[in-house]
Amino acid sequence: VNDTTNPVADAGANQTVNQGDLVTFNGSGSTDNVAVSNYTWTFNDGGAQTLYGAGPNYTFNSAGAFVVTLTVQDNDGNTNTDTVTITVNDTTNPVADAGPAQTVNQSDLVTFNGSGSTDNVGVVNYTWNFTDGGAQTLYGAGPNYTFNDAGSFVVTLTAKDAAGNTHTDTVTITVNDTSNPVAKAGPNQTVNQGDLVTFNGSGSTDNVAVSNYTWTF
């Protein structure tokens, strides 16, 4: 009497693991009226993958949801299939790239460039933090900003993926001082010949600092 009864494949329960974890498949629940002679597991993880046996092991390097198909076969060639879903959590941090350093003048429009940031799945959030007359926060891969103060500003980019993994990078923006100082020569004075006169330029101001006072007459 030829065996024409298909086995019943059972690929086991769905699993959720992290990238790099060792996954053990479980086809032990599969049955046949005589015996299951072959277990074949097929799926795609960076290319077609094939495993054999009732409980093979595998480590997923990619993140995502993987549908794995178990095909069981008996000695007479009868087959049956079942699937199991392995959800692999993304634990890979993105790589933030805040772009090259820039030198600009006060009031110039600066465009930040985080487009070089990468992730194994995708960067979903770009946050830029720095101080310019107070804490500043910008969002997006390439936001614009105008610095009012002169000086050297270290800007921190935080790149985040959908799983909440983050990475930071910094870029230095040098803002040239283009604001003229304001000279104050002090009040007029009337003195006698031979008197010692003290000039007073202390009321002079600058957005950064006055570095030189020169009096000509």
Side-chain angles (χ1 to χ4, degrees), residues 21-207:
D21 284 356
L22 184 68
V23 177
T24 299
F25 297 102
N26 184 10
S28 63
S30 303
T31 59
D32 184 62
N33 62 322
V34 178
V36 176
S37 60
N38 181 275
Y39 301 79
T40 302
W41 306 79
T42 56
F43 55 97
N44 193 296
D45 176 29
Q49 306 293 332
T50 303
L51 306 176
Y52 300 97
N57 297 318
Y58 184 79
T59 300
F60 288 87
N61 292 313
S62 302
F66 299 86
V67 177
V68 180
T69 300
L70 167 63
T71 301
V72 294
Q73 181 174 305
D74 63 20
N75 284 325
D76 288 285
N78 302 302
T79 62
N80 185 239
T81 62
D82 188 32
T83 61
V84 62
T85 299
I86 310 297
T87 301
V88 182
N89 295 326
D90 179 10
T91 58
T92 301
N93 289 331
V95 177
D97 184 346
Q102 300 184 51
T103 299
V104 298
N105 292 327
Q106 286 178 284
S107 300
D108 281 356
L109 185 67
V110 177
T111 299
F112 297 102
N113 183 9
S115 63
S117 302
T118 57
D119 184 63
N120 61 317
V121 178
V123 177
V124 298
N125 181 275
Y126 302 80
T127 302
W128 307 78
N129 294 105
F130 56 97
T131 300
D132 176 30
Q136 305 293 333
T137 302
L138 305 176
Y139 300 97
N144 297 318
Y145 185 78
T146 300
F147 288 88
N148 292 312
D149 293 337
S152 182
F153 299 86
V154 177
V155 181
T156 300
L157 167 64
T158 302
K160 180 189 289 187
D161 64 19
N165 302 303
T166 63
H167 184 249
T168 62
D169 188 32
T170 61
V171 61
T172 299
I173 309 296
T174 302
V175 182
N176 295 326
D177 180 9
T178 58
S179 297
N180 290 326
V182 177
K184 290 290 186 180
N188 294 334
Q189 301 183 51
T190 299
V191 298
N192 293 325
Q193 285 178 297
D195 286 353
L196 181 67
V197 178
T198 300
F199 297 100
N200 183 9
S202 62
S204 303
T205 58
D206 185 61
N207 63 316

